[in-house]
C-alpha cells in the first residue's frame, strides 16, 4: 500500500450506515480538514497541560507533537491512525528530576526512555507480543498504571491550594461538561473546564498578561537540550511499561473498530513513539504517546483516515510557530491546573483499575491482593530509597514491587501446588486508553 495518496471513499461526502472510512481512504479534502481540526481540538487540552505541569515550553511541545505524529504515520505506512500527544506518564519523574537537578536533566531521562522504547519496538517487531502478557499480566499492569496516577495526587493538591475557589470552579466545570455533553464536546470536557476556570481566574485578577503582550506573533519555539544524570534514570524506567500498554491498547482498539488484525503493527508503533519522544527530548519538547481522545473522535465519526491525522499534525506545527500562543498557554494559573489535575490524575489511576475489571482479575486470590495492595501503597506514599547517589521513588519502587511480588508468589505457588490459574491472568494486556492525556 502506498503511503500517499489516499483513495476517495465513495462520493467523498457521506459515509453509509455501518460503513467506515478506512485508514488508506479519505473523504473530500474540506471534510477531511474539518475532521483533522476535530483531532486538534481533542488532543489540545491534554497536550498543552503536560508542559504546563512540567515546566517545558508549550510551543516546543506542540511542534514536536505534530512532527512526532507525522513520523508515526510515515513509519506505520499510514496503516494505524493515531495522534501523538504529550504523555502524562512522565509527569512524576520529570517533576522529581527537575526538583532534584534541572529541566535539562529531566530531558535526559526522557531521551533515554525514548531510545529504549524505540529499541523495544524493534524487539517486538522481531519476536511478537506474547511475552508482554507473561511479564505483565493485568494485575501487574493495572497496578503500575494506577500507582502512577495516584502518586501525582500531592502535586495536584499543591496547585489546588494556591487558589481553592478557582480550582473548585474549574473542577466543577469539568465534571458538569462531562455529564452534560456527548460527542466531541464531551471528549474535550477538560479543555472546556480550563476555559471556564481561566475566565474565573481572569475575573479574580490571577493572570499576568505581560508575557503574552510582549511575545511575537510568529517565531520559532524555545529549544533546550538534555543533559544526563545517571542517578535520575531509575525514576523514568517504569514509564516504559505504561507506554507499552498504551500502544498495545491503541492498536487493539483501532483493529477492533476497523475489523482488522493490526497486532503485527505493534512493533512499528512502539518504535515510532520512541523515536518521536527521542526527537522531542533532544530539543526540549514533552514526551509523546498515542492518544485515547483521538480514538474517541474516530469512534464518533467512523472516519479512520490517516489523512485527517496528517492535517492535525500540520496544524499543530503551524500553531507552534506562534510564540503568542505559547505565551497565552503559559498564563494559565496554578488554581486552574489544580482543579483540572484532580480529574486527570484520578483518571490515570482509574485506568489501572479498569484494566483489572476488563480482564476479570480475581481479587479473592492472595497473590493478586498483595501484588496490587503493596504496589499502590508504595506509589501513593512515594516511598523513596537513595543509595550510591541513585534515587528510586515511589513509582519505580512500586513497579518493582508489583513485578517481584507477582512472579515470586507465582513461582512459589507453582512449586508447591498452591497456585491456581485465574481468569484474568492469561489475558493480553488491557487497553490503556488514558482519558484526557497520559
Amino acid at each position: 500500500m502506498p503511503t500517499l495518496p489516499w483513495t476517495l471513499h465513495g462520493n467523498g461526502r457521506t459515509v453509509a450506515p455501518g460503513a467506515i472510512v478506512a485508514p488508506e481512504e479519505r473523504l473530500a479534502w474540506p471534510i477531511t480538514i474539518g475532521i483533522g481540526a476535530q483531532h486538534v481540538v481533542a488532543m489540545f487540552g491534554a497536550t498543552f497541560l503536560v508542559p504546563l505541569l512540567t515546566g517545558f515550553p508549550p510551543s516546543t511541545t506542540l511542534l514536536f507533537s505534530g512532527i512526532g505524529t507525522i513520523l508515526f504515520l510515515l513509519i506505520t505506512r499510514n496503516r494505524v491512525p493515531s495522534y501523538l500527544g504529550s504523555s502524562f506518564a512522565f509527569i512524576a519523574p520529570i517533576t522529581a528530576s527537575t526538583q532534584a537537578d534541572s529541566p535539562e536533566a529531566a530531558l535526559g531521562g526522557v531521551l533515554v526512555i525514548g531510545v529504549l522504547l524505540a529499541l523495544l519496538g524493534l524487539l517486538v517487531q522481531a519476536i511478537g507480543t506474547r511475552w508482554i502478557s507473561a511479564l505483565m499480566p493485568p494485575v501487574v499492569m493495572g497496578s503500575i498504571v494506577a500507582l502512577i496516577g495516584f502518586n501525582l495526587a500531592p502535586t495536584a493538591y499543591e496547585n489546588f491550594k494556591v487558589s481553592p475557589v478557582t480550582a473548585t470552579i474549574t473542577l466543577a466545570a469539568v465534571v458538569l461538561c462531562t455529564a452534560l455533553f456527548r460527542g466531541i464536546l464531551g471528549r474535550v470536557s477538560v479543555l472546556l473546564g480550563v476555559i471556564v476556570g481561566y475566565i474565573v481566574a481572569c475575573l479574580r485578577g490571577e493572570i499576568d498578561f505581560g508575557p503574552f503582550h510582549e511575545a511575537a506573533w510568529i517565531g520559532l519555539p524555545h529549544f533546550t537540550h538534555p543533559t544526563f544524570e545517571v542517578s535520575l534514570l531509575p525514576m523514568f524506567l517504569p514509564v516504559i511499561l505504561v507506554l507499552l500498554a498504551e500502544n498495545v491498547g491503541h492498536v487493539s482498539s483501532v483493529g477492533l473498530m476497523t475489523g482488522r488484525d493490526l497486532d503485527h503493527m505493534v512493533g512499528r508503533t512502539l518504535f515510532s513513539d520512541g523515536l518521536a519522544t527521542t526527537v522531542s527530548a533532544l530539543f526540549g519538547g514533552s514526551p509523546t504517546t498515542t492518544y485515547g481522545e483521538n480514538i474517541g473522535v474516530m469512534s464518533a465519526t467512523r472516519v479512520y483516515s490517516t489523512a485527517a491525522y496528517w492535517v492535525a499534525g500540520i496544524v499543530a506545527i503551524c500553531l507552534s510557530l506562534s510564540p503568542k500562543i505559547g505565551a497565552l498557554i503559559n498564563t494559565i494559573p496554578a488554581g486552574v491546573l489544580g482543579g483540572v489535575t484532580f480529574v486527570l490524575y484520578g483518571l490515570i489511576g482509574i485506568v489501572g483499575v479498569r484494566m483489572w475489571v476488563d480482564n476479570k482479575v480475581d481479587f479473592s486470590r492472595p497473590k493478586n491482593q498483595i501484588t496490587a495492595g503493596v504496589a499502590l501503597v508504595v506509589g501513593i506514599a512515594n516511598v523513596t530509597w537513595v543509595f550510591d547517589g541513585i534515587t528510586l521513588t515511589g513509582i519505580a519502587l512500586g513497579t518493582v514491587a508489583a513485578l517481584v511480588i507477582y512472579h515470586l508468589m507465582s513461582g512459589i505457588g507453582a512449586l508447591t501446588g498452591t497456585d491456581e490459574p485465574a481468569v484474568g491472568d492469561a489475558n493480553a494486556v488491557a487497553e490503556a486508553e488514558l482519558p484526557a492525556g497520559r
Side-chain angles (χ1 to χ4, degrees):
M1 182 184 70
T3 301
L4 292 172
W6 300 266
T7 58
L8 191 66
H9 176 88
N11 61 12
R13 295 186 300 275
T14 59
V15 182
I20 65 168
V21 179
E24 68 275 10
E25 297 178 322
R26 66 168 177 85
L27 295 173
W29 280 114
I31 299 174
T32 297
I33 291 171
I35 294 172
Q38 286 189 71
H39 282 302
V40 172
V41 172
M43 69 83 183
F44 197 81
T47 293
F48 80 71
L49 278 175
V50 173
L52 281 177
L53 296 169
T54 58
F56 288 178
S59 293
T60 311
T61 292
L62 277 177
L63 173 63
F64 288 101
S65 172
I67 291 174
T69 297
I70 291 174
L71 285 174
F72 183 96
L73 295 170
L74 288 171
I75 293 170
T76 59
R77 298 169 62 190
N78 275 340
R79 295 180 182 178
V80 184
S82 180
Y83 190 88
L84 294 190
S86 302
S87 173
F88 271 70
F90 283 87
I91 291 176
I94 288 176
T95 302
S97 298
T98 300
Q99 293 173 347
D101 195 297
S102 66
E104 291 76 17
L107 283 174
V110 172
L111 176 61
V112 169
I113 296 304
V115 171
L116 292 178
L117 185 64
L119 294 175
L120 181 62
L122 296 176
L123 176 65
V124 169
Q125 192 69 16
I127 67 175
T129 60
R130 297 189 65 178
W131 62 273
I132 297 173
S133 55
L135 175 65
M136 297 176 294
V139 65
V140 173
M141 179 51 68
S143 301
I144 294 170
V145 174
L147 70 86
I148 285 178
F150 297 143
N151 175 267
L152 291 165
T155 303
Y157 186 50
E158 287 301 314
N159 282 325
F160 195 98
K161 289 190 297 184
V162 173
S163 180
V165 173
T166 300
T168 301
I169 293 174
T170 303
L171 173 59
V174 174
V175 173
L176 289 174
C177 289
T178 304
L180 290 172
F181 301 131
R182 291 292 179 267
I184 186 64
L185 288 178
R187 296 191 182 279
V188 296
S189 57
V190 169
L191 180 59
L192 296 177
V194 169
I195 293 172
V196 172
Y198 190 86
I199 293 171
V200 171
C202 187
L203 294 174
R204 289 170 55 85
E206 297 174 351
I207 300 176
D208 177 15
F209 287 102
F212 169 74
H213 292 307
E214 295 171 3
W217 279 105
I218 299 176
L220 289 174
H222 175 69
F223 295 137
T224 55
H225 305 290
T227 60
F228 297 95
E229 181 54 58
V230 175
S231 64
L232 300 177
L233 295 183
M235 299 183 190
F236 289 87
L237 293 177
V239 175
I240 293 180
L241 304 181
V242 180
L243 298 176
L244 178 63
E246 287 178 352
N247 277 272
V248 171
H250 179 96
V251 171
S252 298
S253 297
V254 174
L256 286 172
M257 290 188 289
T258 58
R260 298 178 177 183
D261 182 3
L262 296 175
D263 287 351
H264 63 288
M265 298 300 294
V266 171
R268 285 179 177 265
T269 65
L270 288 169
F271 178 79
S272 304
D273 194 0
L275 178 61
T277 293
T278 300
V279 173
S280 182
L282 283 172
F283 296 94
S286 298
T288 63
T289 188
T290 53
Y291 254 32
E293 292 88 337
N294 297 94
I295 293 180
V297 172
M298 290 190 292
S299 177
T301 61
R302 292 178 298 153
V303 176
Y304 300 92
S305 172
T306 51
Y309 284 103
W310 276 86
V311 171
I314 292 169
V315 169
I317 292 171
C318 292
L319 289 174
S320 72
L321 299 179
S322 175
K324 250 208 198 320
I325 292 177
L328 180 63
I329 293 172
N330 265 328
T331 62
I332 296 176
V336 174
L337 297 178
V340 162
T341 50
F342 262 46
V343 175
L344 293 178
Y345 297 163
L347 286 176
I348 295 172
I350 293 303
V351 167
V353 177
R354 176 182 165 185
M355 288 181 177
W356 297 333
V357 174
D358 288 349
N359 287 273
K360 299 181 176 63
V361 175
D362 184 3
F363 277 109
S364 67
R365 305 180 68 200
K367 175 177 70 175
N368 292 339
Q369 293 173 355
I370 295 175
T371 296
V374 173
L376 286 178
V377 170
V378 171
I380 294 170
N382 197 30
V383 176
T384 303
W385 184 22
V386 181
F387 66 98
D388 290 337
I390 297 176
T391 301
L392 296 177
T393 60
I395 291 178
L397 292 174
T399 298
V400 171
L403 288 166
V404 171
I405 291 173
Y406 179 85
H407 289 291
L408 178 64
M409 294 186 71
S410 294
I412 293 174
L415 288 174
T416 60
T418 59
D419 190 23
E420 297 178 359
V423 174
D425 291 348
N427 291 341
V429 176
E431 173 189 346
E433 179 184 336
L434 297 182
R438 358 248 120 341

